[in-house]
Amino acid sequence: MSTRPYRTIIRSLRFTSEEWGKAAVKIAGRDFSSTVRALLLDGPIPEPKQTVRREIVRKRMTEAEARHVQQIAWLGNNLNQIARAANQGSDPVQTIAALASLEREIRRLTDAR
């Protein structure tokens, strides 16, 4: 649980382009609200935020991988349908049979890889 105060009061601040240019240099990567709050309340000015750049490499799936993902999605859909039926009071024997069938299909897919 956070012990930070919940701030409910919002005030706006207007700048000319020239004023904002000077202010932006002084803020230099810091959070605007935290910096202004610190200046007004004589608190410590926060350190600039460090931006973490992560390179994302996206690999296209092969057709076989795409089919495999689709089959897994179908199995997830089937599992959701079985859970819905079980929660609505369907026959427990049918539910167990459906789960067993789903398990066999999952094993078939994992063995095929």
Side-chain angles (χ1 to χ4, degrees):
M1 182 189 293
S2 177
T3 59
R4 290 178 29 190
Y6 184 68
R7 295 185 172 98
T8 57
I9 299 171
I10 300 171
R11 296 289 181 239
S12 67
L13 186 58
R14 294 176 187 241
F15 294 93
T16 65
S17 294
E18 185 179 308
E19 290 170 335
W20 179 247
K22 291 177 184 178
V25 169
K26 289 184 179 183
I27 292 173
R30 293 174 176 88
D31 177 62
F32 179 77
S33 293
S34 298
T35 304
V36 172
R37 192 178 309 109
L39 288 170
L40 292 173
L41 301 175
D42 296 324
I45 296 174
E47 292 295 321
K49 291 184 178 179
Q50 298 293 325
T51 56
V52 177
R53 295 187 60 138
R54 294 188 179 112
E55 188 174 324
I56 298 174
V57 178
R58 295 180 190 248
K59 180 186 132 195
R60 288 190 161 259
M61 285 190 279
T62 64
E63 286 185 33
E65 289 170 331
R67 280 193 305 274
H68 193 72
V69 167
Q70 181 63 51
Q71 289 172 335
I72 291 170
W74 287 334
L75 292 173
N77 187 27
N78 289 347
L79 182 60
N80 285 337
Q81 291 175 5
I82 293 167
R84 186 177 305 116
N87 287 328
Q88 292 176 349
S90 69
D91 180 25
V93 174
Q94 287 181 338
T95 301
I96 291 172
L99 285 171
S101 173
L102 189 62
E103 181 186 18
R104 281 191 301 275
E105 187 62 22
I106 291 170
R107 287 186 192 282
R108 185 189 66 76
L109 276 176
T110 56
D111 291 342
R113 263 191 141 309

